[in-house]
Amino acid sequence: MACQACAGPTGSAGDEALQLMDKVVSRENLLLAYRRVVQNAGAPGVDGMTVQVLMAYCRQHWPAIRERLLKGTYIPLPVRKVEIPKPSGKGMRTLGIPTVLDRLIQQALLQVLAPIFDPTFSDGSFGFRPGRGPLDAVRRARAHIAAGHRWVVDLDLEKFFDRVNHDVLMARVKRRVKDKRVLVLINRYLQAGMMEGGLVSPRTEGTPQGGPLSPLLSNVLLDDLDKELERRGHRFARYADDCNIYVRSKAAGERVMVSLERFLRDKLRLQVNRNKSGVARPWERRFLGYSVTTHRQPKLKVSRESVKRFKDKLRRAFRRGRGRNLGTQLTELVPVLRGWVAYYRLAEVKGVFEELDQWIRRKLRAILWRQWKRWPTRIQELRRRGLGARRAAYSAMNGRGPWWNAGASHMHTAVPTAWLRQQGLVSLVQEHQRLQYSM
């Protein structure tokens, strides 16, 4: 992708602001954007192009694309509509998948715009920012609670990414971006239609998740909320559209909820989802999958809802693996277990990891019991694994279901924890301990 930055003297800061598109299409910036897009892979957009052919396409077509970007005449293609289940399991989340070319251009825009906006963002904002992440937001939340702010205003914005007002958002982008070509291009990305079933629907609001630029734009809009909270002296932690404000009393929390609902409606044209929002004790709510204990110095723990979602995810995996070799299933399962415990490595209440370990082992024993199917096979397997003939026969023909048998002593003897470890199963308890020692 041989593209050169526009030549010419550097000029004043104002001139540089007006030449922002020249930085976007510079060779160095585009090569970095290309590497990021290829690294992230992802599904093709409406044109079917994959990241594997992006370089060859750009070698042939980039000069013309670059010229249209510099002239402000580039028109993005519509995004491809994809719906995925929400983590809660209730409802679907809409994604808008841009073409790989548009992902490249959005990533190039992001790399130029992020250094302009990010230094101005609030210290209480943690989502989609370099050097910050959800666990930093969780640590900040715990610190606020430990400081005596033991009531939380838990804000949930109604379909935030689908309801972003384009005019309100662009007004905030214009505060720091003066290059009209960049402004026009961002606006066109916001208004790019969404294709579903071969039909393109125009878009007048929202910034669907799926493109590299959407997270930054969401922070640009919600930075007004952060600044308002700072102006009022509130303690808060925000990750994307998930915002918790910590106060000292229920009455204060209810006042904050009412005033913020008005602020979001009048200033940002956003609606608070009253069914999911609330004023409560922090241990009665969850934040980014975590909750806390009632201690004066609160301890972090995995929320009940997070455990339930994780079990639901594992149940689907176990159902798919009923007819497969246990070793193959464990090869796919272990990265999932390690990823989950890595996210919850801050948890200080550790009993949940042992409970999950026991539940997972029982699930695996139930899979084996199902795979043995008929009682002669079960007798054979139980005897091969160390049970006497009489006990093996009695156990194999007990008439109980797989889950009951998986928890019974004969399966614990035949399929001990040590054997499951030899097959590749990892312990959540041990993984959690290892991660805590390395922190």
Side-chain angles (χ1 to χ4, degrees):
M1 184 163 39
C3 53
Q4 301 292 334
C6 290
T10 300
S12 66
D15 292 335
E16 289 184 2
L18 294 173
Q19 296 171 358
L20 207 57
M21 184 61 80
D22 302 82
K23 294 183 179 181
V24 171
V25 300
S26 69
R27 178 182 176 82
E28 180 181 359
N29 189 53
L30 285 166
L31 287 175
L32 177 59
Y34 172 79
R35 287 194 290 270
R36 294 275 172 82
V37 169
V38 171
Q39 181 181 3
N40 293 336
V46 295
D47 61 355
M49 186 191 301
T50 65
V51 293
Q52 287 76 19
V53 300
L54 178 59
M55 177 62 81
Y57 180 87
C58 286
R59 284 197 179 106
Q60 181 178 356
H61 298 284
W62 183 252
I65 297 168
R66 178 178 182 272
E67 183 178 359
R68 293 202 298 273
L69 287 168
L70 289 171
K71 287 183 177 179
T73 59
Y74 178 82
I75 306 295
L77 286 176
V79 297
R80 182 168 64 88
K81 183 178 180 179
V82 175
E83 290 188 329
I84 61 172
K86 290 184 177 180
S88 63
K90 298 177 182 178
M92 305 294 286
R93 175 172 291 160
T94 300
L95 303 182
I97 308 299
T99 65
V100 291
L101 175 61
D102 282 322
R103 294 210 292 272
L104 173 70
I105 297 170
Q106 283 196 36
Q107 180 65 37
L109 275 169
L110 173 66
Q111 291 165 182
V112 171
L113 294 175
I116 295 172
F117 284 101
D118 193 80
T120 70
F121 289 154
S122 166
D123 185 53
S125 165
F126 295 90
F128 316 121
R129 298 184 61 188
R132 288 172 166 240
L135 299 189
D136 299 305
V138 170
R139 290 188 185 97
R140 180 66 59 83
R142 177 179 57 181
H144 292 328
I145 301 167
H149 295 73
R150 295 168 67 82
W151 286 88
V152 62
V153 181
D154 187 354
L155 276 182
D156 184 278
L157 299 178
E158 182 87 37
K159 297 182 179 179
F160 169 71
F161 285 95
D162 298 332
R163 299 268 177 92
V164 169
N165 183 282
H166 292 173
D167 292 336
V168 173
L169 172 57
M170 288 306 300
R172 278 136 187 87
V173 175
K174 289 175 184 177
R175 293 172 182 172
R176 298 193 175 276
V177 175
K178 304 304 177 186
D179 190 327
K180 291 184 178 179
R181 298 167 298 180
V182 173
L183 293 171
V184 168
L185 182 59
I186 293 173
N187 199 49
R188 284 176 180 163
Y189 275 123
L190 289 173
Q191 296 179 349
M194 183 173 287
M195 180 176 287
E196 181 182 19
L199 299 176
V200 178
S201 303
R203 209 166 64 227
T204 57
E205 64 178 3
T207 169
Q209 296 163 276
L213 202 54
S214 292
L216 176 66
L217 295 178
S218 70
N219 274 336
V220 169
L221 181 64
L222 290 177
D223 188 56
D224 272 27
L225 170 62
D226 299 339
K227 293 298 193 294
E228 178 66 14
L229 293 172
E230 288 180 343
R231 187 185 67 79
R232 299 182 185 186
H234 289 313
R235 295 180 179 236
F236 70 98
R238 182 178 66 79
Y239 188 91
D241 58 334
D242 199 343
C243 184
N244 277 5
I245 304 102
Y246 296 89
V247 295
R248 292 186 179 275
S249 69
K250 184 177 181 181
E254 290 173 345
R255 287 195 300 270
V256 169
M257 175 67 80
V258 171
S259 63
L260 287 181
E261 190 172 14
R262 186 186 313 116
F263 173 85
L264 288 163
R265 182 185 64 243
D266 296 346
K267 299 294 185 181
L268 301 182
R269 311 269 184 90
L270 297 172
Q271 296 292 323
V272 171
N273 186 334
R274 272 291 187 162
N275 292 328
K276 295 182 178 180
S277 302
V279 178
R281 294 292 197 177
W283 45 89
E284 296 171 353
R285 309 289 289 191
R286 67 183 185 274
F287 182 52
L288 302 177
Y290 281 83
S291 189
V292 295
T293 64
T294 60
H295 298 93
R296 187 152 298 280
Q297 290 299 314
K299 295 181 179 181
L300 292 171
K301 63 179 184 179
V302 184
S303 72
R304 290 190 300 272
E305 294 84 357
S306 298
V307 174
K308 181 181 181 301
R309 285 203 301 267
F310 188 51
K311 281 187 172 182
D312 289 342
K313 180 178 181 179
L314 293 180
R315 281 191 186 96
R316 292 191 292 271
F318 290 139
R319 280 196 291 270
R320 291 195 302 269
R322 284 178 182 175
R324 293 159 52 192
N325 175 274
L326 187 67
T328 301
Q329 182 160 13
L330 286 174
T331 300
E332 296 180 3
L333 179 64
V334 166
V336 175
L337 298 179
R338 284 193 166 126
W340 189 84
V341 77
Y343 180 80
Y344 289 104
R345 63 185 180 271
L346 297 183
E348 298 159 286
V349 179
K350 304 173 184 179
V352 66
F353 299 107
E354 176 57 36
E355 291 171 9
L356 281 169
D357 272 341
Q358 294 174 2
W359 182 83
I360 291 166
R361 292 195 295 265
R362 188 168 178 176
K363 278 288 186 182
L364 294 173
R365 291 182 180 115
I367 288 174
L368 287 174
W369 188 262
R370 283 192 178 92
Q371 289 179 349
W372 297 343
K373 292 184 179 178
R374 298 168 61 85
W375 64 262
T377 305
R378 289 171 178 167
I379 292 174
Q380 179 182 345
E381 287 291 339
L382 292 173
R383 291 199 65 185
R384 186 173 69 84
R385 292 165 182 267
L387 272 70
R390 184 174 180 180
R391 186 183 178 197
Y394 178 80
S395 300
M397 294 185 287
N398 62 45
R400 303 272 190 163
W403 183 247
W404 185 91
N405 278 282
S409 62
H410 56 268
M411 281 301 281
H412 279 257
T413 302
V415 188
T417 300
W419 184 84
L420 290 171
R421 295 277 189 272
Q422 290 172 2
Q423 307 311 302
L425 179 65
V426 298
S427 163
L428 296 178
V429 170
Q430 293 176 1
E431 284 292 305
H432 182 256
Q433 290 173 343
R434 182 182 64 81
L435 290 168
Q436 288 211 315
Y437 287 145
S438 64
M439 286 171 56

